[in-house]
């Protein structure tokens, strides 16, 4: 009887270890995604800053396509910020479980 209980406990521990390994892999994958999102966000912010500096140097008459491109870049920056925040929140939730 004791041996059976011990085997059950060992089996449960093995299952818990496998679950932790799976979660560890998920955390690693999410960290990679967060890192990639941070790089994308940084690139988008840099592009937006360059466009802003160019806009300041323009004459009052500005090309509509140029302005539209700038607006699209700002929208992309906002999307990337939101994704980054979501991934950071997911990462925090996962790390709290450990």
């Amino acid at each position: 009887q004791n041996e059976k209980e011990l085997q059950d406990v060992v089996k449960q521990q093995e299952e818990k270890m496998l679950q932790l390994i799976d979660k560890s892999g998920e955390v690693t994958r999410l960290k990679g995604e967060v890192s990639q999102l941070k790089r994308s966000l940084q690139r988008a912010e840099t592009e937006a800053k360059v466009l802003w500096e160019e806009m300041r140097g323009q004459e009052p008459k500005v090309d509509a396509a140029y302005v539209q491109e700038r607006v699209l870049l700002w929208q992309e920056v906002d999307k990337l910020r939101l994704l980054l925040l979501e991934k950071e929140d997911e990462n925090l939730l996962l790390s709290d479980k450990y």
Side-chain angles (χ1 to χ4, degrees):
Q1 180 68 21
N2 286 340
E3 186 176 330
K4 173 68 174 148
E5 289 176 9
L6 185 58
Q7 286 175 350
D8 288 343
V9 169
V10 169
K11 185 176 180 180
Q12 289 174 358
Q13 289 300 319
E14 287 175 351
E15 289 173 1
K16 287 180 184 179
M17 286 178 59
L18 290 175
Q19 288 174 352
L20 286 175
I21 290 169
D22 287 345
K23 288 179 182 176
S24 176
E26 180 71 7
V27 168
T28 301
R29 185 186 66 77
L30 287 173
K31 284 182 181 180
E33 284 184 33
V34 166
S35 178
Q36 184 178 4
L37 286 171
K38 284 181 179 179
R39 286 191 299 273
S40 295
L41 176 60
Q42 187 175 19
R43 278 194 302 271
E45 287 175 338
T46 300
E47 290 175 9
K49 285 177 186 176
V50 169
L51 289 172
W52 181 252
E53 290 299 318
E54 287 184 23
M55 287 286 292
R56 277 199 244 167
Q58 294 286 325
E59 297 177 15
K61 187 177 183 182
V62 178
D63 181 35
Y66 183 81
V67 173
Q68 180 63 32
E69 181 183 0
R70 184 173 159 254
V71 168
L72 291 174
L73 284 171
W74 275 107
Q75 289 172 343
E76 188 64 28
V77 167
D78 289 340
K79 286 179 190 176
L80 290 170
R81 275 195 184 107
L82 181 60
L83 284 172
L84 176 61
L85 291 174
E86 289 173 358
K87 291 299 176 184
E88 285 178 344
D89 287 347
E90 286 179 20
N91 201 15
L92 285 174
L93 288 174
L94 283 174
S95 66
D96 287 347
K97 291 181 181 180
Y98 293 115

